[in-house]
Amino acid sequence: MASKRASFGKDTGLQARMLLTMFLLGLIYVVFLGVLFLVGAGAGVLIAVAVVLLLLQLFGSDKLAMATMGVKEVSPAQEPELHGVIERLCVQADLPKPRVCVMETSMPNAFAMGRSQKSTTVCATRGILDMLSTPELEGVMAHELTHVINRDVMVMTLASFFATLASLIAQFAFFFGGGYGNQEEEQDVFLVVIVSTLVYAFSFVLLRALSRYREFAADRGGAVLTGRPSALASALIRISGTMERVPSQDLRAAEGMSAFFIIPARTKKSLMNIFADHPPLEQRLAALARLESQLQGAAA
């Protein structure tokens, strides 16, 4: 049963989308590097900077983000219910138990981070622990562990590196590259800024599309793991409704991690929601309702 649940949780559609996203980003950056070489950028310097930034992104970004938000690891004695829920789910999913952390904030939320199944951290906020029932908490933690099964956290971290690098190059070229050379050099700088901006825009769109799909995949995988899609749906409704009452300063402090939370750390609706990193709550609830019907039909 454990292997069956774990293999079901690994979403093949998400795996294909992650592979396609990384391929497209890689293709875009081959063109990007070609433009940089064309305008005379040093290959050695570019490669060295890119490698250093990539290593920092892969090995340090999660630790830095969690330290900034005050995330603390907790023992089974400190949080027995949370540890118990995660242990049961890991046994069902045939996963190694991750580090278990708590973020001391009233904002109800949860996230998972890490490069691999053996270096994963699962975190729940104090707000979500105080608010949810045990079945609802199981649904949320199963959602986060499905991210671990699919390894999409690592892919998102790696993919976001490309957008970060393009943004840094564009800013560097814009602020430090102009006004000091001849017309040809200024044209080269302008070309770098334009291409970097386009690369960032394409990366941004690809990342948002992948992020939305991975949330659907984690909802489905988590609901199958627990066998109770309605419990996860109930948790999503309660979290979303409470987020609107969270102090603005708490939301601003967590907004940089919004893509990794089960519910985004913002409440205001705007036209920018078409670029949101999470699908609309209504669509997630509808998908869980369909899954509930499927599971009930299979059981009958």
Side-chain angles (χ1 to χ4, degrees), residues 11-299:
D11 189 285
T12 55
L14 177 59
Q15 303 297 315
R17 282 168 171 81
M18 290 192 297
L19 182 62
L20 178 61
T21 298
M22 294 305 297
F23 171 77
L24 291 176
L25 286 173
L27 185 62
I28 290 170
Y29 273 83
V30 168
V31 176
F32 184 33
L33 290 175
V35 172
L36 294 178
F37 293 153
L38 183 65
V39 300
V45 174
L46 284 175
I47 293 173
V49 171
V51 169
V52 170
L53 289 176
L54 178 60
L55 292 176
L56 288 173
Q57 184 86 347
L58 284 177
F59 294 96
S61 60
D62 56 341
K63 298 179 179 63
L64 178 62
M66 289 189 291
T68 301
M69 294 189 299
V71 173
K72 302 293 184 183
E73 186 171 4
V74 292
S75 67
Q78 292 172 307
E79 296 293 340
E81 181 184 13
L82 179 59
H83 271 271
V85 165
I86 291 174
E87 285 173 0
R88 290 194 299 273
L89 292 171
C90 286
V91 169
Q92 288 177 269
D94 194 24
L95 285 174
K97 185 181 177 182
R99 291 175 66 236
V100 179
C101 294
V102 170
M103 180 179 170
E104 295 294 342
T105 174
S106 61
M107 177 187 66
N109 233 312
F111 64 88
M113 299 200 76
R115 301 181 308 278
S116 67
Q117 295 182 1
K118 294 183 179 179
S119 63
T120 299
T121 297
V122 175
C123 178
T125 67
R126 180 61 58 192
I128 208 172
L129 293 176
D130 291 342
M131 183 179 66
L132 298 185
S133 65
T134 299
E136 290 170 337
L137 182 61
E138 286 181 342
V140 169
M141 292 297 105
H143 170 105
E144 298 305 332
L145 289 174
T146 302
H147 284 309
V148 177
I149 293 171
N150 286 321
R151 293 183 171 87
D152 58 40
V153 175
M154 186 272 289
V155 172
M156 285 291 293
T157 301
L158 182 61
S160 65
F161 160 76
F162 293 123
T164 301
L165 182 61
S167 176
L168 289 174
I169 291 176
Q171 293 177 53
F172 183 85
F174 182 79
F175 287 110
F176 301 104
Y180 298 100
N182 56 37
Q183 184 176 0
E184 182 178 352
E185 291 173 340
E186 290 181 358
Q187 289 176 346
D188 289 343
V189 170
F190 180 73
L191 177 61
V192 170
V193 171
I194 293 299
V195 173
S196 299
T197 302
L198 289 174
V199 168
Y200 176 82
F202 281 121
S203 302
F204 179 88
V205 172
L206 287 172
L207 280 171
R208 289 303 185 270
L210 177 61
S211 182
R212 288 194 294 271
Y213 187 88
R214 83 184 190 108
E215 292 302 324
F216 280 125
D219 283 348
R220 180 176 180 82
V224 170
L225 183 59
T226 63
R228 287 179 287 191
S230 59
L232 177 56
S234 175
L236 293 176
I237 292 171
R238 296 184 67 184
I239 296 169
S240 180
T242 306
M243 288 287 283
E244 298 177 358
R245 301 193 296 272
V246 174
S248 298
Q249 62 268 25
D250 290 351
L251 293 177
R252 284 195 295 269
E255 195 167 3
M257 285 282 293
S258 183
F260 295 97
F261 284 126
I262 191 168
I263 292 289
R266 55 182 176 274
T267 57
K268 295 187 180 300
K269 296 182 178 181
S270 69
L271 291 176
M272 288 303 293
N273 283 351
I274 61 175
F275 300 116
D277 42 41
H278 287 65
L281 178 63
E282 295 78 10
Q283 293 182 16
R284 297 173 72 177
L285 296 177
L288 288 170
R290 289 193 297 270
L291 180 57
E292 181 86 27
S293 299
Q294 293 170 9
L295 293 179
Q296 290 178 352

